[in-house]
Amino acid sequence: MNNEESLRDRILHTDDQLRDMIHLVLQRATQRQVWLLFIDERGCLADPLLPMAGYPEDPLDTVRIEDLGEVAHSHLLM
């Protein structure tokens, strides 16, 4: 079993386990990005892992959206 497979089979019961998993997954990151990580019904890291570009420098900056009005970028991501 390779390292990626074993990481995906780890059940994440606690915040500390999740933090350690994120550290392992992103340890070779070379640039600042937002990553979307999904947890499956077992509590394990699921596909896909999505790096995201084009995000605002400050997640509290606001934008006007027709159906929501003025909201923070972080609110839109949620």
Side-chain angles (χ1 to χ4, degrees):
M1 177 180 333
N2 70 34
N3 191 37
E4 183 177 334
E5 289 171 333
S6 64
L7 288 178
R8 291 188 187 278
D9 290 331
R10 290 186 191 178
I11 297 175
L12 305 170
H13 293 287
T14 67
D15 290 346
D16 288 339
Q17 290 172 328
L18 178 58
R19 185 197 63 239
D20 292 345
M21 174 66 74
I22 290 169
H23 177 35
L24 285 171
V25 170
L26 300 180
Q27 68 185 348
R28 291 181 282 179
T30 59
Q31 63 185 354
R32 182 181 167 157
Q33 288 181 306
V34 172
W35 282 76
L36 300 179
L37 305 174
F38 301 96
I39 306 296
D40 67 17
E41 64 280 350
R42 301 172 302 148
C44 298
L45 193 60
D47 286 329
L49 298 177
L50 298 173
M52 225 172 82
Y55 58 90
E57 286 291 321
D58 183 351
L60 299 179
D61 282 346
T62 60
V63 63
R64 175 161 287 291
I65 303 296
E66 184 177 322
D67 57 338
L68 298 174
E70 191 84 14
V71 296
H73 286 280
S74 57
H75 180 81
L76 286 176
L77 185 58
M78 289 188 314

